[in-house]
Amino acid sequence: MIIVLRAHATETDIQSVSDLVCSLRYQPRIIRGVEQTVLACIGDELSNRSLEVLKTLPAVESVFPVQRKFKLVSREYHAEDSCVKIKDTQIGCGSIPVIAGPCAIESYDQFRTAVSDLEKIKIQIIRAMPFKPRTSPYDFQGLKLDGVKIMRDVKKEFDVAFVSEVPGPAQIEILNDITDMYQVGARNAQNYDLLEQIAKAGKPVLLKRGMAMTIEEWLTAAEYLVVNGCQDVILCERGLRSFDQTTRNLLDIGAVAVAKQLTHLPVVVDPSHAAGVRSLVTPLARAAIAAGADGLLVEAHPDPVNAFSDAAQQLKSSTFKDFLDDIQPWIDLALKTRV
Ligand code: PEP
Ligand code: MN
């Protein structure tokens, strides 16, 4: 940790702060400037109390960590891009795959039609959501166990992989033998108990960014997954809560570029939940690709207007190829120019 003292701190101030640092079991190295003195403190931050408590001293201007809160997911730890394999699709190493499927599983016919439409046009990872954590308890919550049964029936017929949201620890086991990747949704992105437990389940995890989460908090949540044994983590930017209601959420395109610099993990973008309306999905998807996204997560439904949830933003699964054609030039250019 670095402690910056206030300008013109006296010798007594310097001495009393370094005595406190020693009492907290860190070694202070004193760096004296013309006006300001800085203490570089060396010690084990995991087992010792944090030096941040010293912020309250009148002689201290600021205290900040030298190391980031995330380590294993950082580029410093692993310089090369990590590649996550979901069945036959690789994410994070060269191609820009599109994951698609309905917001929720609503019936056998609805889900089967969506999978059939999407598989025909070579979508290999399908959103398969039997559980829907919703803001309101009065909104459609998903078919739950009936939805899991539908997943089983549909998977017998189609050679696709599934990504499924896990609303809580109880659903990890229920989904374990049928899904290929767990999704931790925006509302759960800082549910550390869930992150720890899901990390131990031995499957890839797609971690959405919470709607008011800093990039550091997002990467630190990913660190929870990796430090608890999850080998394959994919980050997903889906837009932040903002003052402007024109879009449902404010897609943080800058965060995609920043995350690509800070972490080796693949970063995908969900333009659907950011846009909130169909007409904005294509431009946001193009922007995501231009900013460096490793893939997209897009909602597609056989009959979007009558969908039980997120009706305004879902694309029609039977014409989803139009969307793919509309973004292909951006994918081609990105793949040509990325180093
Ligand atoms: C979803 O992808 O189904 C979803 C609920 O998104 P978010 O968690 O980003 O709101
Ligand atoms: Mn949705």
Side-chain angles (χ1 to χ4, degrees):
M1 294 287 255
I2 301 289
I3 301 177
V4 181
L5 300 187
R6 287 199 194 284
H8 310 296
T10 64
E11 277 309 313
T12 321
D13 289 336
I14 298 171
Q15 196 52 51
S16 64
V17 176
S18 31
D19 287 349
L20 272 167
V21 168
C22 292
S23 72
L24 289 166
R25 300 198 299 179
Y26 293 82
Q27 294 163 15
R29 302 266 189 282
I30 302 173
I31 304 151
R32 288 169 202 276
V34 180
E35 289 188 3
Q36 239 164 346
T37 299
V38 170
L39 272 65
C41 306
I42 301 152
D44 180 356
E45 288 174 30
L46 263 188
S47 47
N48 292 339
R49 271 179 65 200
S50 169
L51 290 177
E52 285 191 20
V53 59
L54 302 185
K55 267 185 194 157
T56 52
L57 296 177
V60 172
E61 187 174 287
S62 54
V63 178
F64 54 88
V66 185
Q67 288 177 330
R68 300 188 197 281
K69 290 197 166 48
F70 52 89
K71 298 183 173 63
L72 303 178
V73 306
S74 72
R75 283 260 181 221
E76 286 86 4
Y77 179 77
H78 189 276
E80 301 295 308
D81 283 348
S82 285
C83 190
V84 174
K85 195 158 186 278
I86 316 292
K87 211 161 177 286
D88 303 324
T89 307
Q90 303 210 322
I91 305 185
C93 38
S95 58
I96 302 178
V98 177
I99 302 169
C103 179
I105 297 176
E106 299 170 4
S107 68
Y108 175 79
D109 286 344
Q110 172 258 10
F111 188 59
R112 190 197 168 279
T113 307
V115 176
S116 166
D117 287 345
L118 295 168
E119 196 227 32
K120 262 188 225 137
I121 52 169
K122 304 212 164 27
I123 298 293
Q124 291 180 313
I125 310 177
I126 303 283
R127 285 176 54 97
M129 306 293 179
F131 301 101
K132 286 307 302 171
R134 303 300 297 279
T135 304
S136 165
Y138 306 115
D139 287 339
F140 176 60
Q141 305 284 313
L143 296 183
K144 302 183 181 174
L145 293 182
D146 291 340
V148 177
K149 181 172 179 314
I150 292 171
M151 283 171 72
R152 285 191 209 293
D153 292 343
V154 169
K155 211 171 194 182
K156 281 187 204 134
E157 200 183 336
F158 297 96
D159 185 27
V160 290
F162 287 153
V163 53
S164 306
E165 177 154 0
V166 178
Q171 287 77 34
I172 297 175
E173 183 63 36
I174 294 171
L175 287 162
N176 196 271
D177 70 324
I178 185 65
T179 200
D180 299 273
M181 173 160 64
Y182 292 122
Q183 175 173 313
V184 175
R187 290 157 191 77
N188 259 324
Q190 285 178 291
N191 180 341
Y192 300 116
D193 181 46
L194 177 62
L195 294 175
E196 280 189 39
Q197 299 208 37
I198 216 168
K200 293 177 182 148
K203 275 191 198 293
V205 177
L206 183 138
L207 175 66
K208 293 268 189 120
R209 180 180 179 191
M211 54 193 90
M213 217 175 174
T214 65
I215 295 172
E216 185 181 62
E217 285 166 343
W218 185 28
L219 299 186
T220 311
E223 185 84 11
Y224 264 91
L225 292 169
V226 177
V227 87
N228 282 288
C230 183
Q231 304 291 322
D232 297 309
V233 178
I234 297 174
L235 296 166
C236 181
E237 161 62 36
R238 46 77 76 199
L240 303 173
R241 174 155 293 171
S242 134
F243 57 88
D244 191 331
Q245 302 299 303
T246 319
T247 54
R248 181 177 180 186
N249 290 292
L250 182 69
L251 185 63
D252 189 356
I253 284 296
V256 179
V258 172
K260 287 299 297 172
Q261 287 180 358
L262 295 179
T263 177
H264 55 87
L265 301 178
V267 180
V268 305
V269 168
D270 169 352
S272 303
H273 289 89
V277 288
R278 263 181 285 291
S279 62
L280 292 177
V281 173
T282 299
L284 295 191
R286 288 171 170 167
I289 296 161
D294 295 301
L296 298 169
L297 175 75
V298 182
E299 285 190 339
H301 188 288
D303 181 15
V305 178
N306 292 306
F308 291 6
S309 55
D310 291 348
Q313 73 197 28
Q314 302 203 56
L315 303 183
K316 203 167 164 50
S317 53
S318 60
T319 54
F320 197 73
K321 177 78 168 54
D322 296 345
F323 166 74
L324 295 181
D325 290 344
D326 287 346
I327 62 169
Q328 193 57 44
W330 274 256
I331 293 183
D332 292 342
L333 186 61
L335 295 179
K336 209 157 65 189
T337 51
R338 277 183 200 175
V339 276

